[in-house]
């Protein structure tokens, strides 16, 4: 039996204002303008004022959005944003 592939991101925002919540989203390779589009990849974007948006390139596989497979957590005390997701099994 194959094990699921999970990715966990931790982004620190030490200068973020108390009223701001970090955001994330997936972006297809065809939306970005820095590289030639390659359907093998997608991007995860993280945004929070006053910071520039950052992106991570990950395989373009379907994300498992079932309960417990995709979650976020914003720690207001440490100003760290966590995002974890699993790819669907092939």
């Amino acid at each position: 039996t194959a094990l699921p592939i999970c990715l966990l991101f931790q982004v620190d925002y030490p200068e973020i204002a108390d009223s701001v919540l970090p955001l994330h989203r997936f972006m297809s390779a065809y939306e970005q303008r820095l590289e030639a589009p390659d359907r093998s990849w997608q991007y995860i974007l993280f945004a929070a004022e006053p910071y520039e948006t950052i992106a991570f390139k990950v395989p373009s596989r379907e994300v498992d959005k079932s309960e417990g497979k995709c979650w976020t957590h914003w720690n207001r005390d440490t100003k760290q944003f966590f995002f974890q997701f699993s790819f669907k099994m092939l």
Side-chain angles (χ1 to χ4, degrees):
T1 304
L3 295 174
I5 296 174
C6 301
L7 294 176
L8 171 64
F9 294 87
Q10 175 186 329
V11 182
D12 294 351
Y13 292 110
E15 304 299 321
I16 195 170
D18 289 338
S19 61
V20 176
L21 291 175
L23 302 172
H24 76 281
R25 80 172 186 96
F26 286 91
M27 180 176 75
S28 80
Y30 298 95
E31 291 180 74
Q32 58 85 28
R33 302 286 180 248
L34 297 177
E35 301 177 350
D38 181 347
R39 62 186 250 184
S40 300
W41 300 99
Q42 63 185 330
Y43 299 84
I44 302 172
L45 281 65
F46 296 94
E49 290 292 335
Y51 297 92
E52 290 189 30
T53 299
I54 58 173
F56 295 90
K57 190 175 185 178
V58 298
S60 186
R61 292 183 45 198
E62 188 176 358
V63 173
D64 188 347
K65 296 179 181 171
S66 59
E67 188 174 338
K69 300 290 185 177
C70 185
W71 59 266
T72 63
H73 175 70
W74 170 236
N75 186 323
R76 291 182 187 276
D77 296 328
T78 63
K79 298 189 176 186
Q80 294 173 312
F81 182 69
F82 298 88
F83 173 56
Q84 180 173 307
F85 69 93
S86 300
F87 290 112
K88 282 197 172 181
M89 300 294 286
L90 297 177

